[in-house]
Amino acid sequence: MKKKHWYDYLWIWSIIYFALGFFNILFAWLGLIDFILPLVLAIFGGNKFFCNHLCGRSQLFTVLGKNLKCSRNKPTPKWMSSKWFRYGFLIFFLTMFASMLYQTYLVFGGAGSLKEAVKLFWSIKVPWGWAYTVRPASDWVAQFAFGFYSLMLTSALIGLIVMVLFKPRSWCSFCPMGSMTQLICKFKQRGGSPEISEE
Amino acid sequence: MASKRFAKADRRRCVSCGACENECPKDAVKVWRGCYAVVNEARCVGCGKCEKVCPAGCIEMRLREDGESAK
Ligand code: SF4
Ligand code: SF4
Ligand code: SF4
């Protein structure tokens, strides 16, 4: 049995995050930690400590898929971890992220109105106004929260689907965050290899 | 005594997720600087747990060729 660290329980954070979004959508902003931290660690630390140890989402997939046996445990289809799919999905994801920021900007500038809905799979609108009854913030702050939560929930659902169909952590083979941080690390180590550098 | 098998990770296809690292009972596989997984063949006992968990299917179990462990 491996020694447990405090960060081995971060899967609980993943559940709390989505649960909070049912009470007040503004909590979605907390998800930015999961966006910024991996990038900071990759850019300044040159590592994927986030993926390897701190990612609550992949831990949740392990808990559900491996410990609770909710995964068929079949090999992930090869194309899913192929470079073109990984980078293609990364570009798609970043484009959707940019479009979400643009929506926020429109609301900020008064050119758009707040849409109190969560959009699943970038197309299915789910009314979510009930999670925004306490309104302490400006509309653009809420718009970002709705958009960001949509993104987080959509990717979690895709992750759960591939978890059931394939391996618990199949999502990691094309997760945009994982691809991005790996690209950064590879760029930082260009030309290097474990054989050249002492361990 | 060395095991008959050992794990080998394909660096070109590894997504450096660290699933193998978290699974290995012998601390024999590590993600090298966020780039890809590297197996320490001397430590590896060939249990195959990393191969089972790898979402990218880039770990292969190989037979040791040194004859040391071959019966
Ligand atoms: S690849 Fe994505 S889901 Fe997997 S550990 Fe990294 S950030 Fe988490
Ligand atoms: S085969 Fe077992 S001991 Fe060897 S690297 Fe994989 S998990 Fe570790
Ligand atoms: S589990 Fe597979 S893809 Fe993930 S770091 Fe290990 S060898 Fe690479």
Side-chain angles (χ1 to χ4, degrees):
Chain A
M1 207 48 193
K2 292 193 107 168
K3 196 173 148 263
K4 287 270 188 193
H5 298 92
W6 63 268
Y7 49 70
D8 290 327
Y9 299 94
L10 283 170
W11 56 273
I12 299 168
W13 157 244
S14 232
I15 298 175
I16 294 174
Y17 176 77
F18 287 114
L20 285 175
F22 280 79
F23 292 106
N24 195 310
I25 197 68
L26 294 181
F27 284 115
W29 277 81
L30 289 175
L32 274 182
I33 302 170
D34 290 346
F35 252 67
I36 295 166
L37 192 60
L39 290 174
V40 167
L41 288 173
I43 294 170
F44 299 103
N47 62 50
K48 290 222 334 176
F49 193 79
F50 184 85
C51 281
N52 302 166
H53 302 289
L54 303 180
C55 176
R57 171 172 298 193
S58 67
Q59 288 177 11
L60 184 62
F61 293 153
T62 304
V63 169
L64 294 176
K66 190 179 157 231
N67 306 3
L68 299 178
K69 304 197 171 21
C70 298
S71 169
R72 295 196 313 153
N73 246 313
K74 299 276 184 225
T76 316
K78 270 210 158 129
W79 59 266
M80 267 191 197
S81 57
S82 66
K83 289 222 157 58
W84 68 264
F85 183 70
R86 291 180 68 205
Y87 298 146
F89 191 69
L90 172 63
I91 292 167
F92 171 75
F93 202 84
L94 290 178
T95 312
M96 289 300 149
F97 190 77
S99 130
M100 187 264 287
L101 289 181
Y102 183 64
Q103 288 301 324
T104 307
Y105 170 76
L106 287 183
V107 174
F108 174 76
S113 59
L114 174 63
K115 290 175 192 69
E116 293 177 20
V118 161
K119 225 184 201 180
L120 291 181
F121 303 105
W122 300 282
S123 50
I124 309 163
K125 265 200 190 124
V126 185
W128 212 271
W130 43 271
Y132 195 48
T133 43
V134 186
R135 295 159 172 265
S138 338
D139 277 359
W140 71 268
V141 175
Q143 183 61 55
F144 178 85
F146 280 114
F148 196 66
Y149 194 76
S150 307
L151 215 66
M152 293 292 269
L153 197 55
T154 299
S155 53
L157 288 174
I158 299 175
L160 283 172
I161 294 169
V162 291
M163 173 198 86
V164 172
L165 292 178
F166 311 113
K167 295 207 178 185
R169 283 184 65 170
S170 284
W171 162 257
C172 292
S173 63
F174 59 94
C175 164
M177 223 48 231
S179 305
M180 202 148 55
T181 45
Q182 187 188 32
L183 278 177
I184 296 169
C185 290
K186 282 194 167 169
F187 179 74
K188 278 185 85 106
Q189 301 301 337
R190 59 196 179 282
S193 84
E195 286 75 27
I196 301 173
S197 65
E198 69 288 87
E199 276 277 282
Chain B
M1 200 189 78
S3 58
K4 275 187 188 167
R5 301 192 307 163
F6 68 98
K8 185 97 192 157
D10 182 343
R11 292 181 186 181
R12 285 160 308 163
R13 293 194 25 238
C14 174
V15 300
S16 61
C17 64
C20 51
E21 184 177 321
N22 287 325
E23 197 65 25
C24 179
K26 294 288 168 192
D27 275 336
V29 58
K30 291 257 178 280
V31 173
W32 183 76
R33 298 185 185 177
C35 298
Y36 39 69
V38 178
V39 179
N40 179 335
E41 289 173 21
R43 290 185 76 112
C44 175
V45 293
C47 67
K49 285 190 169 181
C50 53
E51 180 204 24
K52 216 175 145 215
V53 81
C54 175
C58 64
I59 294 186
E60 199 184 77
M61 300 307 295
R62 294 197 183 165
L63 283 174
R64 288 190 198 271
E65 283 167 4
D66 51 19
E68 195 187 314
S69 60
K71 283 222 174 125

